Amino acid sequence: MNLINYVNMWDNIIKELLNNPPQKSYPLSYGIAIQSDFIPEPFIGNPDNCSFVIVNLNPGEGQCHSCIEHKNIVGTLVNRVKTKGYSKAVEDFPYLRNEASVGLINWDNSAGRKWWKAKERWIKHIIKMYEPSYNPLCPIPNDRFPFAMELFAWHTAKWPNNLNNKMKKGGIYGSCIKSDVLDPIYEAIQKSKCKFAYCVGKPIGDIIDSFAYSVNFTKINSQPIKPIPDIERYYDVYSDAKGCFIVNTWAQGGNTYPSDKFYKAEENLFRQYKIAP
């Protein structure tokens, strides 16, 4: 599936959900308990005008701003989605903008906004690697926001580990993941300014590995890279041999983003593998 069809598919799915909300007793999907009373959030940002691509496992636990019951409350994200359509509602990456600029109620205190706000400094560090003149103390320019995609678009209370193998090439959902997620990710990388995706969580790398050459990317490091010897954080680097890359990182005990302790190490890694200038 190409990127346009991916965006259109989710626009249509979410529009249908808002027009015909499922019951809270909605049957399990993918064999897990999805939070069906919240809209899925498959991506955030503008794939046609982004700095780089971020791939997360899934959007986590549902919050009030994405609750279908709130679709008619002006000032909620879900109402903005209902009014504009999903892709237009998230095109300006609202989670990286404050309450005043997005015009949403109780936005700065929302869980999703807080989660992304905590990543803002790291995102600015990535931008500066590619644009040394950029001042990280300044807001992110409109055309430098990332495009964030989710491996699994539905809200869940925690990441369902039983999906890991099912999403691999030989798994029951493997063909869907290849067509509906990995192919659009590759096109998004190609369209991005920095030509790479940053994936947080070992399961994402394991799924990419399972597809090997069929997803255009192959791993170019022989062993997981551990930039700081006494800290359990690892990296793998994938290349399509045409100037596009995927960087997968994971840490012991969770799918957290790197702290500022890793900024210099990431700069060295990106330059070593020619991901950044």
Side-chain angles (χ1 to χ4, degrees):
M1 181 185 298
N2 65 32
L3 190 56
I4 291 175
N5 288 341
Y6 164 82
V7 170
N8 289 339
M9 175 188 75
W10 281 110
D11 275 346
N12 291 331
I13 288 173
I14 294 170
K15 180 179 179 180
E16 179 61 24
L17 281 170
L18 291 173
N19 288 337
N20 299 287
Q23 299 298 315
K24 288 188 178 180
S25 59
Y26 192 64
L28 299 182
S29 180
Y30 295 90
I32 61 169
I34 64 169
Q35 294 178 313
S36 58
D37 45 339
F38 296 86
I39 59 168
E41 297 188 60
F43 57 85
I44 311 164
N46 183 353
D48 294 319
N49 195 14
C50 69
S51 51
F52 66 104
V53 179
I54 293 175
V55 183
N56 294 314
L57 288 170
N58 85 322
E61 192 166 11
Q63 56 171 313
C64 62
H65 268 280
S66 56
C67 181
I68 294 174
E69 285 187 355
H70 297 162
K71 65 180 181 178
N72 295 320
I73 300 176
V74 176
T76 61
L77 179 63
V78 70
N79 179 259
R80 183 176 176 177
V81 170
K82 177 187 173 184
T83 303
K84 293 185 171 185
Y86 183 78
S87 61
K88 291 297 182 184
V90 301
E91 188 175 62
D92 63 348
F93 216 117
Y95 285 116
L96 285 173
R97 297 179 183 271
N98 62 30
E99 193 168 304
S101 65
V102 297
L104 299 176
I105 57 175
N106 298 320
W107 183 245
D108 288 339
N109 290 321
S110 67
R113 163 65 176 151
K114 287 181 176 179
W115 192 89
W116 278 105
K117 177 66 175 175
K119 313 296 177 289
E120 186 175 31
R121 185 178 176 188
W122 172 82
I123 291 169
K124 289 180 175 182
H125 136 74
I126 295 290
I127 294 171
K128 188 168 178 60
M129 274 200 283
Y130 289 84
E131 299 184 35
S133 62
Y134 170 64
N135 182 357
L137 298 178
C138 294
I140 298 173
N142 289 340
D143 62 348
R144 294 298 186 270
F145 284 105
F147 180 63
M149 301 174 68
E150 305 289 346
L151 192 67
F152 184 66
W154 299 88
H155 286 279
T156 58
K158 61 179 182 178
W159 172 249
N161 288 318
N162 63 348
L163 285 183
N164 293 349
N165 289 329
K166 293 177 182 179
M167 288 181 168
K168 292 180 181 178
K169 185 176 182 179
I172 189 171
Y173 306 126
S175 61
C176 289
I177 290 296
K178 168 69 169 60
S179 171
D180 300 354
V181 183
L182 298 181
D183 287 348
I185 285 172
Y186 184 35
E187 188 176 344
I189 293 170
Q190 292 174 308
K191 292 169 75 72
S192 71
K193 292 177 175 65
C194 301
K195 301 293 185 286
F196 88 97
Y198 197 99
C199 307
V200 180
K202 187 66 166 65
I204 301 176
D206 291 341
I207 289 166
I208 293 171
D209 281 339
S210 75
F211 286 92
Y213 296 95
S214 60
V215 292
N216 301 300
F217 287 93
T218 55
K219 191 185 299 182
I220 58 176
N221 56 292
S222 58
Q223 297 292 329
I225 302 161
K226 188 180 181 184
I228 302 178
D230 58 344
I231 301 179
E232 298 292 325
R233 175 168 291 281
Y234 300 89
Y235 293 79
D236 280 332
V237 179
Y238 300 80
S239 171
D240 71 343
K242 298 177 182 178
C244 291
F245 297 88
I246 294 174
V247 177
N248 178 219
T249 186
W250 67 97
Q252 190 174 30
N255 297 313
T256 57
Y257 276 68
S259 70
D260 54 5
K261 293 179 182 179
F262 283 86
Y263 289 4
K264 190 63 180 178
E266 285 193 341
E267 289 174 14
N268 293 335
L269 184 150
F270 273 54
R271 291 182 179 121
Q272 177 185 349
Y273 287 93
K274 297 180 171 58
I275 305 166

